[in-house]
Amino acid sequence: MNRREALFSSLGIATTLSVSTAFANQTSGRSTTLKDARRLQDSTLLVDQLDGSAMTDEYLDMLESAGVDIWQGHGMSSFSNATTMLNFFDKHSKRLVLVKSVRDIRQAHQDGKIGYLVGWQSATYLTDETDSWGLPPIENLRTFWELGLRICGLIYNNTTVFGGGSLDPTLGLSRSGRRLVEQIHKQRIVLDVGGHTGDQTSYDAIAMSKGVPIICSHTNLRAIADNPRNMPDKMIEQIAATGGVIGVTAVNDFHARSRKDEKTRLTPQVGLDKHLDQYDYLKRLVGVDHIGLGCDFMYGRADLTQTNPLLWPPDAYSAVPPAEMFMVKGYEKITELPNVTQGLMQRGWTDDEIRKVLGGNWMRVYEQVWGV
């Protein structure tokens, strides 16, 4: 029996059995309603970690409706983009504020505003901003930190000057990549590995990060779906060992599309049970203190969900699904988050455990890296 089979066995799951069916059979939850779930959400500071949805009035309405307190997006990727975003914050100053510290987050919550937290999925933005003095691109990290960058991923799928992406899993950190990791920690930015970043590059970065919690902001489980975008148990355990957190996405492909499905055009849309299985598996593997929301919604971004080949390289592991099948059924937009909360309650998760997943674990990492 291999390690993966042993873990499934400990959960009462045969490897040939539907995971969602097995989890549903082996958990005993409590009777609850969506109103109960929403009350639980309102009792904690809720972090929507990594959400690339369009910055519009409509999406602000949706975030407020869902009870979101912190929206972590991936803006501020260039100086011109930063200007556009700052203008948006000015226009919506009664509802939305840029946050750069734990104190800012708590103040935004007290003021009844959504706090926008800047994070990058790739550090290649650094190489886009150079100057005539020939400073190394990594030196630009300080400037973006001043603008609000507080979470930094290394690579988005494809290999860069810093190391290997998820499609090149055996390539490690380059010399520039090691320098970047050092600067990220020096600047007290949260390091984001795994997911889009390749396996060996992620392991190299973790090995350099002694005493610092690091995260994977948005991913799913390779033990359930053998997808190169998902994370293996070994990496999850190493991130947890740093005190870090793994964010779980709502993306349908990452729940159900494996390497063997490479030539299949579309992935059938799975139900909410498949999504809840991810939390149950992580809880048994590394404990509830290392699980968070990493939704990865892209509402209002037709350029990404329907036409951008970089999301799902067809020659790698997926074709772009139509918009209605892009996310897990029952969790297709942020306003359906109470469905997830209710599902965890019904599976026997305690209120305190769910509060950690909804935002408490992310806040702990922020405090450890940025300070209070």
Side-chain angles (χ1 to χ4, degrees):
M1 179 182 294
N2 62 33
R3 190 179 178 288
R4 175 176 175 272
E5 291 170 338
L7 180 57
F8 278 131
S9 177
S10 72
L11 295 168
I13 302 171
T15 54
T16 56
L17 182 64
S18 162
V19 178
S20 58
T21 301
F23 272 123
N25 290 340
Q26 63 95 33
T27 54
S28 56
R30 44 182 163 152
S31 176
T32 184
T33 67
L34 285 175
K35 287 184 177 180
D36 295 328
R38 181 53 197 264
R39 278 195 292 269
L40 178 52
Q41 289 179 194
D42 290 342
S43 72
T44 192
L45 202 154
L46 200 159
V47 179
D48 179 12
Q49 183 82 9
L50 206 287
D51 188 325
S53 298
M55 295 186 74
T56 62
D57 291 62
E58 179 187 9
Y59 203 64
L60 288 180
D61 291 341
M62 293 173 65
L63 292 168
E64 289 175 343
S65 176
V68 170
D69 298 298
I70 300 300
W71 173 17
Q72 195 249 288
H74 56 250
M76 301 286 191
S77 56
S78 68
F79 299 143
S80 59
N81 171 263
T83 300
T84 299
M85 292 185 67
L86 291 171
N87 289 338
F88 187 86
F89 296 138
D90 289 344
K91 181 180 178 181
H92 299 86
S93 59
K94 293 183 178 179
R95 308 173 68 188
L96 182 69
V97 62
L98 177 65
V99 293
K100 300 180 181 181
S101 66
V102 172
R103 181 177 298 179
D104 285 351
I105 289 174
R106 298 200 184 282
Q107 187 63 52
H109 186 236
Q110 181 178 324
D111 294 341
K113 299 179 181 181
I114 296 170
Y116 187 92
L117 178 62
V118 178
W120 284 354
Q121 298 188 60
S122 170
T124 52
Y125 299 126
L126 293 171
T127 63
D128 296 333
E129 302 289 348
T130 58
D131 60 35
S132 59
W133 295 98
L135 290 174
I138 290 172
E139 297 299 323
N140 290 322
L141 193 66
R142 164 68 189 278
T143 304
F144 283 107
W145 183 88
E146 295 286 356
L147 288 170
L149 179 66
R150 292 297 181 270
I151 299 173
C152 189
L154 296 178
I155 296 150
Y156 192 90
N157 293 348
N158 295 299
T159 294
T160 73
V161 66
F162 300 123
S166 61
L167 303 180
D168 295 301
T170 62
L171 297 180
L173 271 178
S174 67
R175 181 176 298 181
S176 293
R178 291 181 180 279
R179 173 65 174 156
L180 173 61
V181 170
E182 291 173 354
Q183 288 297 105
I184 286 172
H185 291 320
K186 180 180 179 180
Q187 201 65 60
R188 302 189 74 172
I189 293 172
V190 176
L191 176 62
D192 186 358
V193 301
H196 291 296
T197 300
D199 290 359
Q200 190 57 54
T201 292
S202 295
Y203 290 131
D204 290 345
I206 293 169
M208 293 180 61
S209 305
K210 303 298 184 184
V212 181
I214 62 177
I215 68 169
C216 182
S217 59
H218 60 304
T219 190
N220 293 94
L221 306 178
R222 201 175 296 175
I224 292 178
D226 183 23
N227 189 309
R229 177 61 177 76
N230 293 346
M231 286 177 56
D233 289 357
K234 176 184 175 182
M235 192 183 303
I236 293 167
E237 290 173 323
Q238 289 194 12
I239 289 176
T242 73
V245 178
I246 294 90
V248 182
T249 87
V251 179
N252 187 71
D253 264 24
F254 304 155
H255 289 70
R257 192 177 188 89
S258 299
R259 299 172 203 267
K260 62 181 177 59
D261 301 316
E262 181 178 344
K263 298 185 183 302
T264 304
R265 182 174 181 273
L266 293 177
T267 309
Q269 189 177 26
V270 303
L272 191 64
D273 272 352
K274 288 284 189 180
H275 182 69
L276 296 172
D277 291 344
Q278 306 266 323
Y279 300 93
D280 281 337
Y281 187 94
L282 283 169
K283 182 179 177 181
R284 293 297 185 97
L285 181 66
V286 292
V288 73
D289 291 333
H290 307 288
I291 311 170
L293 301 178
C295 317
D296 207 14
F297 291 118
M298 281 165 268
Y299 190 86
R301 299 285 300 277
D303 58 316
L304 293 177
T305 58
Q306 296 174 348
T307 63
N308 190 337
L310 293 179
L311 267 178
W312 325 111
D315 61 342
Y317 54 93
S318 177
V320 180
E324 68 273 12
M325 294 179 67
F326 195 66
M327 298 293 179
V328 170
K329 186 70 174 175
Y331 192 30
E332 294 161 284
K333 50 187 180 293
I334 191 60
T335 51
E336 294 181 324
L337 178 58
N339 292 341
V340 177
T341 303
Q342 181 189 33
L344 293 175
M345 295 170 76
Q346 290 175 338
R347 289 191 176 204
W349 288 54
T350 69
D351 289 356
D352 284 344
E353 289 174 333
I354 296 172
R355 289 189 187 99
K356 288 182 177 183
V357 172
L358 293 175
N361 289 334
W362 293 124
M363 288 297 295
R364 185 194 73 247
V365 170
Y366 301 161
E367 290 176 359
Q368 288 179 274
V369 177
W370 308 335
V372 295

